[in-house]
Amino acid sequence: MKALILVGGFGTRLRPLTLKHPKPLVEFANKPMILHQIEALKDIGVTEVVLAINYKPEEMMNFLKDFDTKLDIKITCSQETEPLGTAGPLALARDKLIDDSGEPFFVLNSDVICEYPLKLMIEFHKAHGGEASIMVTKVDEPSKYGVVVMEESTGKVERFVEKPKAFVGNKINAGIYLLNPSVVDRIELRPTSIEKEVFPKIAAENKLYAMALPGFWMDIGHPRDYITGLILYLDSLRKKSPSKLATGPHIVGNVLVDETAEIGEGCLIGPDVAIGPGCVVESGVRLSRCSVMSGVTIKEHACISSSILGWSSTVGQGACVKKTVLGEAVHVKKTSLGEVVYVCDDVYSNGGVVLPGREIESSNLKPESNVRVWD
């Protein structure tokens, strides 16, 4: 069985983390986003994953070249010379996806984090006998999304309604599909939307079915949603694999700490924190609702909340960082070390995005010209 992951473009919503690295390599819960999906696909028997790439393909493949051996799964690249949308990449990768077996293949949006109930989806797809299956998830405010209108008893999709003013349903496309090879025959090699141009036609022929996604779901392509996704992921981990979470008198709620990270005395960590490989958290630090990527140093008595700290960044002694995204190697202090971003001692940052290779020397109580507000 095969799968295609829509790796996508520049990841502008997660800048500055994506200025130097493709978005799927941004760490989420201590591993690159894309590894969560590849591991889930491997677990249900997928033997080959095709990455649809148009931004930094060399870096992506260099990073993943060791994982095809570790995971015993073939990982290949289908490189776009121009952005092809969400359907065009399937046509481009036709020869990689379709073989004589006639088996359906998965398509995943790389921004999606969930429990990946892919085995259930295979069973659902085989049972209904249609041409395509999509996962849908419930939302509280369907008027903000494109809603999938479906028969609740069978899952058969009737139509799609974009941002409905009147209530027509509360389920939206979750960005995970299982498609028969014949779907590729419907797609031209050009920029195409699978949601707007392909699925409505299949639905009109009564061949498209939707499966309600059990468990949590989040598109983590925006900093705010990234943190929400981390909270949901850690809560799911608590229910399914609690032994993976950290414990101790300094831990509050759900916290994930890499075994190579160092935690000082008198810290209060949590709730909803991920601390990556090689991090150093000095004494008296307070962390909550944040992602601390590999190689980060947080000096004593700093306070971090609702923030994402990029690789190898440093937060100074007594600094307070809130609702902020630090790019790679951001150094919060007076001296800048190469491309490190350094938050200086006793600095307060609220609601900002700091570019790679920069330093913060004074408090940011209100966003200024060099800081993008986390909205």
Side-chain angles (χ1 to χ4, degrees), residues 18 27 42 54 75 96 98 167 173 183 201-202 218 226 236 260 265 287 303 336 364:
T18 54
E27 291 176 18
K42 166 63 180 176
N54 61 33
I75 302 174
K96 296 178 182 291
I98 297 177
F167 183 84
N173 184 343
V183 172
K201 293 179 181 178
I202 302 176
M218 184 55 62
Y226 176 106
S236 175
T260 63
E265 296 182 357
L287 302 177
C303 180
S336 174
N364 169 42

Side-chain angles (χ1 to χ4, degrees), residues 209-230:
Y209 289 77
M211 170 186 154
L213 176 75
F216 78 96
W217 175 89
M218 184 55 62
D219 178 331
I220 57 175
H222 183 282
R224 179 185 59 247
D225 298 331
Y226 176 106
I227 294 297
T228 301
L230 180 63

Side-chain angles (χ1 to χ4, degrees), residues 158-360:
E158 298 175 353
R159 67 188 191 279
F160 298 84
V161 182
E162 188 65 25
K163 296 182 179 179
K165 296 181 179 179
F167 183 84
V168 295
N170 62 354
K171 296 182 177 69
I172 66 169
N173 184 343
I176 300 175
Y177 319 128
L178 186 55
L179 311 177
N180 287 352
S182 57
V183 172
V184 181
D185 296 331
R186 298 173 177 267
I187 303 171
E188 298 179 14
L189 184 52
R190 60 177 177 82
T192 315
S193 168
I194 198 168
E195 300 87 355
K196 296 180 179 179
E197 299 179 61
V198 179
F199 286 158
K201 293 179 181 178
I202 302 176
E205 298 174 12
N206 298 314
K207 295 180 180 179
L208 180 65
Y209 289 77
M211 170 186 154
L213 176 75
F216 78 96
W217 175 89
M218 184 55 62
D219 178 331
I220 57 175
H222 183 282
R224 179 185 59 247
D225 298 331
Y226 176 106
I227 294 297
T228 301
L230 180 63
I231 294 170
L232 295 171
Y233 175 87
L234 294 176
D235 183 63
S236 175
L237 204 60
R238 168 71 65 187
K239 296 172 183 175
K240 294 195 167 187
S241 303
S243 62
K244 293 182 179 180
L245 296 175
T247 58
H250 61 295
I251 299 295
V252 178
N254 299 328
V255 175
L256 187 65
V257 180
D258 187 86
E259 60 182 10
T260 63
E262 300 178 16
I263 309 293
E265 296 182 357
C267 292
L268 190 60
I269 311 295
D272 307 312
V273 172
I275 301 175
C279 292
V280 176
V281 180
E282 295 185 359
S283 62
V285 167
R286 176 71 174 100
L287 302 177
S288 64
R289 297 182 306 281
C290 61
S291 176
V292 183
M293 295 185 185
S294 58
V296 168
T297 297
I298 303 174
K299 295 194 173 181
E300 59 185 20
H301 304 298
C303 180
I304 318 292
S305 66
S306 300
S307 296
I308 305 172
L309 309 187
W311 310 269
S312 302
S313 294
T314 301
V315 176
Q317 177 181 345
C320 182
V321 178
K322 180 180 181 182
K323 291 186 178 180
T324 297
V325 182
L326 300 184
E328 180 179 13
V330 173
H331 208 66
V332 188
K333 203 188 173 198
K334 286 190 175 180
T335 49
S336 174
L337 303 177
E339 294 185 341
V340 172
V341 179
Y342 189 92
V343 182
C344 299
D345 294 354
D346 301 314
V347 160
Y348 181 90
S349 176
N350 179 27
V353 172
V354 186
L355 301 178
R358 304 301 172 90
E359 61 183 51
I360 305 177

